Each structure stands twice: as C-alpha cells, then as structure tokens.
Amino acid sequence: KAMKWEDERIAVTDPGRDIYKSAIAIDGKGGAWIVWSERLEGNFDILARHFTEGKLGPVENLSKSPGNDLNPVIAHSSKGTLLIAWMAAHEGKFEIRTRLNESGAWAATQTVSASTGNCWNPALSTDPRAEGSGHFALAWDTYEKGDYDIWLTLLDSAGKITTNPMPVANTP
C-alpha cells in the first residue's frame, strides 16, 4: 500500500547529515520535489529528491560545484515545469543559479545574476493561473554598489531569461 501525505512522516535525508535550508514544490502530478543544501566532501551542494505515490526517489545532486551552493528555492509553473534557484559561491563571490526540470529531467545549470558583487537569498514565484504564461519571477539581494538592493529577472516556462536582471529596490 502506498503511503499518503497524511499517513506518517518520511525522512527525506539520512540521519546525522549537515543540512542547511530546504524547500518543496508540488509537481502538478500528485508528487513533490524536495530540495536542500547539504555539506558533501567539504562544501555544500544542492540536492533534490522526488516524492510520489508514497515513495521517495533517489537523491540527485544538482550543483556539484567546488564552491558552496546554498539557499535553494523551487517553484512549479502552470506549464508543468519546475525551476530551482540558489546562491552559488564562484570566484570569490556568490551568484544566483537556476536549473529547470521538465518531465522529470533536469536541464543544465544557468547563472542568472551578472553582478560583480555578491548575490544572495533568491526568492521565486510563478503565475498561479492555470491559463497563465508559466513564467517565473526570480528576485535576489545584491551588494553590487556597496549597499543592499533587490534585483529581479523573469524567465519563461522553459527557464530561459526573458527580462534581463534589473534593480527593483535600488538605494542611492
């Protein structure tokens, strides 16, 4: 018998792991994708696991980079795609990266921030209407000018940037 959401708790990770920040999104087919940051071999990577029909799928490492990858967020579009975003340490600063999941397959990693300063704490949303565009809105904090600002970019349901990153809260 397959478990249901309400039947019992399910451990997504093994005990004793070094985990930082998790997120979850319903996949539109009765399942869910769970994402988190976990320390593996000296740095944090972004891991994901699918839950469907009462069972957990295998753990997938989505970042596998030499720097720390942290603070994952995930959203499901009205077109059935999932987008994950996180902050990735690269060449002495953090940048914002994404990966798209379409029909269970993860696309290549994409860097969406082009800042010379640190970019942190992504936030992700989609158009919730069933007849909506399926587009994603992705915002993050940046320290580009030596002060804290918020930048935004829009991505289509296939994860392609449709609006170049732009400041939306830009202190002088």
Side-chain angles (χ1 to χ4, degrees), residues 11-153:
V12 175
T13 65
D14 293 331
R17 308 301 295 185
D18 192 0
I19 308 287
Y20 179 71
K21 193 166 184 303
S22 61
I24 188 169
I26 303 301
D27 67 7
K29 299 175 185 171
W33 278 95
I34 305 106
V35 295
W36 66 94
S37 305
E38 182 173 333
R39 185 184 305 273
L40 299 171
E41 299 177 17
N43 75 315
F44 281 89
D45 285 330
I46 302 300
L47 304 182
R49 199 164 196 186
H50 191 232
F51 177 81
T52 188
E53 298 179 5
K55 296 179 184 163
L56 286 166
V59 174
E60 299 180 51
N61 187 329
L62 300 181
S63 59
K64 293 183 186 174
S65 66
N68 285 314
D69 298 295
L70 301 162
N71 291 12
V73 292
I74 188 169
H76 174 260
S77 80
S78 60
K79 302 297 183 196
T81 56
L82 289 150
L83 188 71
I84 178 174
W86 68 93
M87 51 189 262
H90 180 71
E91 296 181 352
K93 66 179 180 73
F94 279 100
E95 57 191 26
I96 303 301
R97 295 183 179 170
T98 63
R99 279 191 82 174
L100 183 87
N101 184 302
E102 186 169 16
S103 302
W106 291 100
T109 300
Q110 171 181 225
T111 300
V112 297
S113 61
S115 175
T116 57
N118 278 307
C119 296
W120 300 292
N121 302 324
L124 189 58
S125 183
T126 60
D127 184 346
R129 301 169 299 155
E131 73 283 0
S133 65
H135 287 193
F136 298 93
L138 175 59
W140 60 90
D141 298 340
T142 184
Y143 204 68
E144 173 73 16
K145 301 182 334 270
D147 59 17
Y148 295 97
D149 296 315
I150 299 172
W151 282 56
L152 170 78
T153 190

